[in-house]
Amino acid sequence: MRPRAFGWIDYEMSSAPDWDVVRVLRLGHRLGYRVVWPEGRSVLSVVDQVRNACVDVVILPSPDHLGPLELNRVMGVADVETVLPRLSFARWAVFGLGQ
């Protein structure tokens, strides 16, 4: 069973959402993930949807599909990969827990 990734596209930002879906799926497959998508329109924030999906990584078509504050919040719970430019953002490490 492959690990799961959360595919995220900001449809207001995307000029070709169908193509973005294909690109996210391709990158997910190449990295060894099974991509899951949000279920329709949700009132939950992106980070809450990611947390509820129990995924290790979020895959975006490009970094501008999340605002800087959203990206920061998502990186608190998951890694982030972008298709173009090809970037990887590791989730924030939490030091000092349990001390």
Side-chain angles (χ1 to χ4, degrees):
M1 187 148 159
R2 294 186 303 174
R4 296 171 2 137
F6 191 79
W8 179 261
I9 296 171
D10 180 348
Y11 288 93
E12 292 178 14
M13 170 57 96
S14 179
S15 60
D18 293 335
W19 177 236
D20 284 340
V21 168
V22 170
R23 294 184 324 157
V24 166
L25 288 171
R26 266 196 227 158
L27 179 59
H29 180 72
R30 193 169 73 222
L31 296 175
Y33 290 99
R34 180 173 60 96
V35 178
V36 297
W37 298 92
E39 295 182 21
R41 294 263 182 198
S42 177
V43 295
L44 295 176
S45 67
V46 177
V47 70
D48 288 334
Q49 292 180 64
V50 169
R51 191 178 293 116
N52 289 342
C54 299
V55 296
D56 296 315
V57 66
V58 176
I59 303 176
L60 309 169
S62 65
D64 51 356
H65 281 254
L66 283 179
L69 295 176
E70 291 174 306
L71 178 60
N72 182 54
R73 288 186 198 111
V74 168
M75 288 174 56
V77 297
D79 297 337
V80 176
E81 302 281 344
T82 64
V83 176
L84 192 62
R86 183 65 191 94
L87 298 170
S88 297
F89 300 93
R91 79 182 74 194
W92 298 119
V94 180
F95 296 104
L97 287 179
Q99 294 181 1

